[in-house]
Amino acid sequence: MSAWQPSAQGLTDLLQLLREAINPTDGHNVQERLEYFNKIPDYNNYLVYILTQMPQEDQYIRSVAGLTLKNNIRSYFPTISPQVVDYIKECCLQNIGDAIVGKPVSMVIASIVSRGGIQQWPHVLQVLLEKLDDPAPNMVENAFSTFQKICEDSSRDLDTGIGGVKPLEFMIPKFIAFFDHPDYKIRLSAISCVSQFITLRPEALMTRINEFLNALFKRATDDNIDVRKAVCQSLVSLLEICPEVLLPHLPDLIEYMLFCTQSDDSDLALEACEFWLVFAEQDELREHLHPYLQKIVPVLLKGMVYSEIDLMTLGGDEDDAHIADTEQDIKPRFHKANVVETEGTNKEDEASNAEKKKTGLLGDDESDLDDEDDEDDYDDFEDDEFYGEWNLRKCSAATLDVLCTSFEADVIRILIPLLKGELESDDWLHRECGILALGAAAEGGMQEIAPHLPDLVPYLLNHLNDPKPLVRSITCWTLGRYCSWIVESARQTAEARQHYLEPLIQILLQRILDNNKRVQEAACSSFSLLEEEAGSDLIPYLQPILTTLCSAFTKYQKRNLLLLYDTIGTLADVVGEALNNPQYIDALMPPLISKWQEIADDSTDLFPLLECLSSVTTALGQGFKPFAEPVYNRCVVLVCKTLEECRLCAMDPSLEEPDKDFMIVALDLLSGIVQALNKDAEPLVANTNPPIVQLLSLCIQDEVAEVRQSTYALLGDLAISCFEHIRTVVPQFMPLLLQQIDPQAEHLSVCNNATWAAGEIALNWGTEIRTYVDPLLQRLFPLMMNTQIQRTLLENVAITIGRLGLVCPSLVAPHLEGFVQPWLLALTPIRDNEEKYTAFSGLCEMIKANPQAAVKEFYSLCAAIVNYQNVPSDLHEAFANILNGYKNMFGEAQWQQGLSSMPQEVRIPLQERYGI
C-alpha cells in the first residue's frame, strides 16, 4: 500500500474543500461534502497524504486534514479497509518528529490504538519507546505526546499481556526515568503518563511504587508550575486509590500540600486543596488526618475568600435585575417523572394531602427510587449560589463541610475563634468568607454551633441587608442551611418565632425582590428550604408570601423565573389545601396562567412551569376547576405531539429524536388535574380527543422508563376518579402492568407506580380482578419480603396486597401467614389516611377468612390497631370483631395471659377503645 499515489484531481478537490473549511462561507455544506468523501474507499489515504507528504502546503490545511482523519478513525474505523489503515500507520510513524504537524500525527496514532486496540498494533509502542531516546527534541516531545494520549484512552489495554508480555513492564520504568529531563514539557508528559495508571493499580506500577514516589517527590519543588500541578494531581490520586503507600511520608506530605494550597497560582492551590477533600472523605484515614486539623482549617478558610480573579469573573456587583439573561445564563432543564408515595412517618402533616410527590430537577428528590439519579455529594458547592466553575473557594468550602461532618466538635472548636475574626472584619470579603464557612459547617457542626446561633442568626439577618450583593446572596445560602434550627426554635417559644422566624420570612421576601439577580436566586433557593422545614407553620404568612412571589413574576428575568416556579411549587406542596382560598387563588393563578399561555409548546421552560402547576393543582383541588380545561387540553396536545414525533422518527431515523420530557411533564400535570378534580374530572376525560385510553395504551409501552412511570401514575388517578372511562381497557393493561411489578426491577419508580395503580384498580374493579390476583401476588410477595426495599415501594406493595385482600379475600387469605409480619411492619407507622384504611380493611377480611394465619403475629396486630388513631367507624367495628374473635379462640385464661404480657401503652388503649 506504500506505493499508493493520489490522483491529481482528487487531491485538488479535497485541498479546496479543506481551505473552505478553514474560511467557511457555508460551513454546513462543507461538512456535508466532507462526510460524502467517506464513501470513497481511499479518502483517508488522501488525508494522511496531505498531512504527512505535502510540506509545501499551509500548515493549517495539513492540520485540518489530520483532525478530519482523526475524527474519521474515531467514527468509521470498522469500515476503513486494512490496507488504508496500514498506509496511515506507515505515514504517521515516519512523521512523529515533524516539528509542524507532529501533534495532529500523534492524535491520529492514538485514535488508531484507541479504536483498533493495542493488540492489533503492538509495534507502535516499540517505535515510540525508541523515539524517546532520539536526540531530536521534537521527536521526544511528540513521542511523549502520543504516549500521553494512548495512556489516557487505552490504559486497561496496556495492562494486558501481548505475546506473554505486558507493555507497562517496559513503559513505566522508561517514563519514570524522564521525570528528571531538562525540558519541563517532557517531565510533565512523563508524570502524566504514569499517573494515568494509578487508578488501575497495575503490578508494573505497584512493584515500582517507591521508585515512582521518590521521583515524584523530587519534582515537588520543580521550577515549572505545571509540573508541580501534575505532582499534586498524582499525589491526590495515590491518596484516593492506595493511601497506604503515602502514610510513611505523611508529615512532609502534609506540609507540602499546606504550602501548595496557599499558592498564589489558583490552579495549583485547587489541585492541592483536592488532597484535603479526598483525605477528609476517607473514614479509614481519619486518625491520620486528625493531628493536622489545627493547621488545615485556617488554610481552608483562607481559600474561601474571593480572589480578585473570582470577583472579575463574577461581576454582578450592581443592580442588574432589569438586564435580560443571555442563553448562557440559563442551564438546561430536565424533568423527573412522578413517584407515587404514601404518607410515611417521616413526613410533615401538612404534606399529607399530596398523594404524589414530584421528584423534579427543581424539587426535592429524596423520594426518587432509582439509584441512577443520586445527587453528587458536593452539589451544594456547585450550585448557583457559588457561581461559575469548580474552584479553590468551592473546594475549600466542600472540604470544610466534610471535615465538620467527620470530626464534628473537634473542627468546630478550631473554627469558632477563626470565624469570630472573619465575621467581625472590616473587610467585606472576609465577612463574606466567614458567612460561607458558617454555612459550610452547618450540616456536621450543628450541635456545636447551636449554642452560638442566638447571636449568629440576628447577625445573619442583619447581613441580608448588606450593601454588597455577594454578601447578601451568601447570607441567604447560609440561613437556608440553618432553617431547621430556626423553625424548631420557633415551634418551641413565641419569642424565637418573633425574633428568628418572622424576621427571616420578612427579610427573605425582600431579598426575593432584590435588584440583583444573584441575590434573587439565592433568596428563592433559601426560601424553598425554609418552606420544606416550616411546612404548615407558613400558613399564617401566606398573604405576604404570595404577594411577594407574584410580584417577582414581573421583575424576574428568564433564569430566575425557573427558580420562582420551584419556590411556588414547594409552597403548594407544604401548605396543601390551605392554598385553596379565593384570595390566594386570585393572586397566584393569573401570573401562572399568563406564563402558561406565553411559553411555546416546544420550549423546555415548560418543564419547571408544569411541575409547579402540578403542585398547585394538587393543593387547590376543586379550586383549580376554573382553570382546568385549557390546561388539560394543552397537556393532551403535548402528549399527542410527542407521540406523533416518535412515530415519524421510527419511520425515518434521520429525523431528530423527540424530547420525551414534554410528554412526561404533560402526563404528570394531567395526573395532577385528575387527582385534584376527582369525580369532576369526568367531563374533561370524556371529551379527550383522541380518547385518553388511546394515549395511555401507547405511553404505557414506551421504551423510556419515565414515560411508563408517569403513565402508571395517571392510570391510577383515572382508576380513582373516572374508572368507567378505563374499565374496558383494564384487561388490556393488566399484563403490561404485571411486567412492571418486578422484584428484580431496574426502574424501581416504574415498579412503584405500577404497584400503586394495581391497588387503585383493585378497589374500583372489585371481584373482576380475580383472574389477576394470583399473578399479582406472585410478584408482590418477593417485594414484601425484601428487607432492603425502598420505603415508598414497600408501603405501596403492602397497601396493594391489602386492597386485593379486601376485594378477593378468599384468594389472598390462604397466603396471609407468609406475609402478615412484614406487612404489619410496613403499614403500622404510616399516617392514617384512605390508603391505610382500605389496606387494613382488607387485612380484617383476610383474618376473618383465615384467623389462624395471624395468631403468631397477634401482638404486632394489636400494636398496629392501637397505633391507628383516627379509625373510621366500620373499620373500628371490624377491629373489635377480630379482637373478640381471637378472645373466643384463645379462651379466657390464654387471653388474659396474652394481655398481661403486652406493654401498657398497647394493653390500655386496646381495653379502652375496644372494651376487651
Side-chain angles (χ1 to χ4, degrees):
M1 194 66 192
S2 55
W4 179 89
Q5 288 296 317
S7 77
Q9 187 60 50
L11 200 57
T12 302
D13 290 348
L14 184 54
L15 282 167
Q16 180 56 34
L17 194 54
L18 292 172
R19 289 188 189 100
E20 289 179 31
I22 292 174
N23 300 297
T25 52
D26 181 359
H28 189 65
N29 187 33
V30 170
Q31 197 58 44
E32 280 183 357
R33 285 156 65 198
L34 281 171
E35 284 292 323
Y36 173 77
F37 269 88
N38 275 302
K39 295 174 182 173
I40 301 168
D42 56 355
Y43 164 46
N44 292 300
N45 281 6
Y46 281 89
L47 289 172
V48 78
Y49 186 88
I50 294 168
L51 172 64
T52 62
Q53 309 299 313
M54 299 189 72
Q56 72 278 14
E57 274 299 327
D58 183 272
Q59 78 173 79
Y60 291 109
I61 298 289
R62 296 172 70 194
S63 294
V64 169
L67 290 171
T68 307
L69 176 57
K70 179 206 78 171
N71 292 335
N72 288 349
I73 290 166
R74 290 205 173 265
S75 300
Y76 305 112
F77 186 79
T79 66
I80 302 173
S81 76
Q83 293 84 0
V84 170
V85 172
D86 286 343
Y87 181 70
I88 297 169
K89 288 176 179 177
E90 183 183 330
C91 291
C92 287
L93 286 179
Q94 289 171 1
N95 289 272
I96 291 173
D98 191 302
I100 295 171
V101 294
K103 283 190 169 52
V105 165
S106 77
M107 284 192 278
V108 172
I109 292 171
S111 297
I112 295 172
V113 173
S114 173
R115 295 293 278 118
I118 197 67
Q119 286 80 4
Q120 304 304 313
W121 195 19
H123 176 63
V124 70
L125 299 179
Q126 183 184 338
V127 172
L128 289 171
L129 284 168
E130 289 170 1
K131 302 288 186 192
L132 293 182
D133 294 323
D134 195 285
N138 278 333
M139 184 68 79
V140 180
E141 187 179 332
N142 289 346
F144 252 124
S145 176
T146 311
F147 261 132
Q148 209 171 328
K149 294 178 182 67
I150 291 172
C151 292
E152 279 177 28
D153 295 343
S154 310
S155 56
R156 288 192 183 277
D157 273 1
L158 292 167
D159 192 32
T160 54
I162 303 174
V165 177
K166 290 185 177 180
L168 288 188
E169 289 293 341
F170 299 94
M171 292 166 61
I172 284 179
K174 188 76 172 176
F175 295 157
I176 291 173
F178 278 86
F179 281 23
D180 288 328
H181 195 278
D183 186 337
Y184 84 88
K185 292 182 197 164
I186 305 298
R187 298 197 299 274
L188 185 59
S189 290
I191 294 170
S192 298
C193 283
V194 180
S195 298
Q196 293 298 328
F197 300 101
I198 293 172
T199 53
L200 297 179
R201 296 180 64 122
E203 188 181 354
L205 175 60
M206 298 313 291
T207 55
R208 298 175 176 85
I209 197 71
N210 288 328
E211 187 184 341
F212 172 48
L213 279 175
N214 291 333
L216 206 55
F217 290 152
K218 278 188 187 176
R219 299 273 56 85
T221 54
D222 198 282
D223 293 340
N224 184 269
I225 194 95
D226 290 323
V227 173
R228 298 205 301 277
K229 284 180 209 168
V231 169
C232 283
Q233 284 172 343
S234 297
L235 292 170
V236 170
S237 295
L238 286 167
L239 183 69
E240 191 166 15
I241 304 302
C242 39
E244 67 282 357
V245 306
L246 293 180
L247 293 180
H249 310 280
L250 208 52
D252 290 340
L253 191 53
I254 294 278
E255 292 300 328
Y256 176 68
M257 284 301 188
L258 283 169
F259 177 76
C260 290
T261 308
Q262 299 173 80
S263 169
D264 291 338
D265 184 286
S266 59
D267 291 335
L268 176 60
L270 174 58
E271 296 296 348
C273 193
E274 295 275 3
F275 182 85
W276 309 118
L277 184 54
V278 170
F279 212 153
E281 282 181 301
Q282 302 199 50
D283 290 344
E284 64 274 17
L285 296 180
R286 193 174 295 174
E287 63 182 89
H288 299 285
L289 183 60
H290 190 273
Y292 302 100
L293 292 175
Q294 199 77 43
K295 291 183 174 183
I296 296 166
V297 172
V299 171
L300 293 175
L301 201 59
K302 183 180 174 185
M304 289 157 66
V305 181
Y306 276 123
S307 69
E308 287 184 25
I309 294 173
D310 289 335
L311 295 175
M312 286 169 58
T313 307
L314 284 173
D317 194 19
E318 66 281 324
D319 293 348
D320 61 355
H322 59 287
I323 300 170
D325 293 331
T326 64
E327 285 303 312
Q328 288 78 13
D329 292 332
I330 301 156
K331 290 193 288 192
R333 297 279 157 177
F334 306 98
H335 173 73
K336 286 186 192 169
N338 274 355
V339 176
V340 183
E341 289 193 311
T342 54
E343 296 145 30
T345 51
N346 62 342
K347 290 196 168 209
E348 293 296 326
D349 285 319
E350 56 272 11
S352 65
N353 71 314
E355 298 281 321
K356 290 190 193 58
K357 182 158 183 181
K358 294 186 302 303
T359 58
L361 176 85
L362 299 174
D364 176 277
D365 49 18
E366 287 177 8
S367 63
D368 193 87
L369 297 164
D370 294 328
D371 291 342
E372 61 264 30
D373 293 321
D374 282 350
E375 294 289 323
D376 186 270
D377 289 344
Y378 309 116
D379 274 2
D380 265 355
F381 302 100
E382 294 182 6
D383 278 350
D384 295 320
E385 290 85 350
F386 286 82
Y387 321 110
E389 296 178 359
W390 183 251
N391 58 18
L392 176 63
R393 169 182 163 84
K394 291 182 191 176
C395 188
S396 300
T399 306
L400 182 62
D401 185 0
V402 177
L403 286 175
C404 289
T405 304
S406 298
F407 294 99
E408 297 178 341
D410 291 346
V411 172
I412 300 302
R413 277 195 290 271
I414 298 166
L415 187 62
I416 290 289
L418 298 172
L419 275 182
K420 185 174 167 56
E422 295 295 300
L423 295 173
E424 293 175 357
S425 172
D426 293 334
D427 186 339
W428 73 269
L429 288 170
H430 283 273
R431 290 198 306 277
E432 194 278 347
C433 161
I435 294 168
L436 165 59
L438 185 60
E443 188 174 341
M446 183 66 79
Q447 192 174 343
E448 297 295 323
I449 294 172
H452 303 277
L453 287 176
D455 295 323
L456 288 171
V457 169
Y459 172 92
L460 291 170
L461 291 170
N462 185 45
H463 277 74
L464 282 176
N465 293 315
D466 194 277
K468 288 290 182 183
L470 288 173
V471 175
R472 298 199 298 275
S473 62
I474 202 62
T475 306
C476 288
W477 179 80
T478 293
L479 278 165
R481 292 188 47 111
Y482 288 98
C483 276
S484 58
W485 183 89
I486 293 170
V487 169
E488 198 52 46
S489 300
R491 285 173 180 160
Q492 290 171 9
T493 69
E495 187 184 11
R497 174 177 286 269
Q498 184 184 347
H499 286 107
Y500 305 142
L501 181 63
E502 290 180 351
L504 177 63
I505 294 169
Q506 181 187 352
I507 307 173
L508 267 186
L509 290 176
Q510 292 171 13
R511 294 289 65 81
I512 283 173
L513 296 178
D514 201 278
N515 289 325
N516 181 275
K517 288 192 281 191
R518 186 171 285 129
V519 179
Q520 294 171 358
E521 180 179 358
C524 268
S525 296
S526 188
F527 202 82
S528 292
L529 292 172
L530 176 61
E531 290 169 344
E532 289 169 6
E533 289 292 341
S536 60
D537 294 0
L538 294 179
I539 290 174
Y541 313 102
L542 273 176
Q543 187 61 54
I545 290 171
L546 288 170
T547 300
T548 299
L549 296 180
C550 293
S551 298
F553 274 104
T554 58
K555 184 161 191 166
Y556 278 16
Q557 301 299 331
K558 188 174 178 181
R559 174 190 171 104
N560 285 349
L561 269 176
L562 305 180
L563 268 176
L564 180 63
Y565 298 142
D566 174 47
T567 304
I568 292 170
T570 305
L571 181 68
D573 287 338
V574 302
V575 303
E577 60 189 15
L579 206 57
N580 188 15
N581 172 313
Q583 190 180 3
Y584 302 155
I585 293 171
D586 290 346
L588 182 58
M589 290 311 297
L592 280 176
I593 294 298
S594 172
K595 290 296 175 188
W596 163 259
Q597 292 167 341
E598 186 182 302
I599 299 172
D601 282 354
D602 59 355
S603 170
T604 54
D605 293 351
L606 272 177
F607 300 163
L609 176 56
L610 266 68
E611 286 178 357
C612 172
L613 276 171
S614 291
S615 295
V616 170
T617 303
T618 303
L620 294 186
Q622 293 291 326
F624 190 73
K625 193 173 178 181
F627 313 95
E629 188 175 354
V631 176
Y632 180 95
N633 289 337
R634 186 175 180 192
C635 286
V636 170
V637 168
L638 286 170
V639 175
C640 290
K641 267 188 176 179
T642 311
L643 288 171
E644 177 61 13
E645 288 169 6
C646 291
R647 189 185 68 80
L648 295 173
C649 190
M651 293 166 55
D652 182 358
S654 68
L655 293 174
E656 189 176 347
E657 285 273 345
D659 185 347
K660 291 189 179 179
D661 277 358
F662 287 101
M663 180 158 64
I664 296 165
V665 81
L667 287 166
D668 287 344
L669 185 46
L670 285 173
S671 193
I673 293 170
V674 171
Q675 183 192 4
L677 300 190
N678 205 339
K679 302 298 180 188
D680 286 352
E682 199 277 335
L684 292 175
V685 174
N687 294 319
T688 306
N689 186 22
I692 194 82
V693 292
Q694 190 175 323
L695 299 181
L696 286 174
S697 64
L698 293 170
C699 296
I700 213 163
Q701 299 182 70
D702 198 276
E703 62 185 1
V704 175
E706 289 80 6
V707 176
R708 301 197 303 277
Q709 180 180 324
S710 295
T711 307
Y712 281 111
L714 177 55
L715 179 63
D717 280 319
L718 288 167
I720 297 168
S721 304
C722 314
F723 187 72
E724 292 310 311
H725 286 282
I726 63 168
R727 180 185 287 275
T728 56
V729 293
V730 167
Q732 172 192 330
F733 289 161
M734 287 304 292
L736 299 168
L737 184 148
L738 276 164
Q739 289 173 22
Q740 302 303 321
I741 302 175
D742 181 1
Q744 307 299 320
E746 180 184 357
H747 302 287
L748 289 181
S749 295
V750 185
C751 177
N752 177 74
N753 287 8
T755 300
W756 173 78
E760 297 298 346
I761 289 169
L763 278 185
N764 290 278
W765 210 14
T767 55
E768 291 182 58
I769 200 172
R770 59 183 171 273
T771 312
Y772 300 99
V773 169
D774 276 340
L776 279 166
L777 293 177
Q778 286 172 26
R779 289 175 171 268
L780 292 169
F781 285 159
L783 291 165
M784 189 75 257
M785 305 302 171
N786 184 350
T787 55
Q788 303 301 313
I789 198 172
Q790 207 273 351
R791 173 189 58 80
T792 299
L793 177 54
L794 182 66
E795 290 169 3
N796 276 322
V797 165
I799 287 164
T800 296
I801 292 172
R803 288 172 163 185
L804 291 170
L806 179 62
V807 297
C808 298
S810 63
L811 297 178
V812 187
H815 307 281
L816 181 60
E817 187 173 1
F819 69 79
V820 66
Q821 188 263 341
W823 192 97
L824 287 167
L825 203 62
L827 293 191
T828 296
I830 71 169
R831 299 192 189 284
D832 303 343
N833 60 13
E834 179 68 19
E835 293 180 326
K836 186 171 182 175
Y837 162 63
T838 54
F840 272 88
S841 298
L843 178 67
C844 292
E845 292 298 318
M846 289 184 277
I847 291 175
K848 272 165 59 179
N850 184 9
Q852 194 62 41
V855 167
K856 289 180 183 173
E857 296 299 327
F858 180 67
Y859 168 71
S860 297
L861 174 65
C862 291
I865 291 173
V866 166
N867 190 267
Y868 206 135
Q869 299 295 320
N870 304 304
V871 188
S873 57
D874 58 336
L875 182 56
H876 187 280
E877 184 180 341
F879 282 158
N881 290 338
I882 282 171
L883 291 168
N884 281 305
Y886 278 122
K887 183 176 181 179
N888 294 332
M889 180 193 291
F890 294 156
E892 186 64 30
Q894 191 181 347
W895 175 258
Q896 290 302 332
Q897 185 184 349
L899 275 184
S900 62
S901 67
M902 290 182 189
Q904 63 178 22
E905 61 266 22
V906 175
R907 183 180 69 253
I908 292 171
L910 270 185
Q911 292 169 330
E912 288 176 351
R913 294 181 208 166
Y914 297 98
I916 53 167

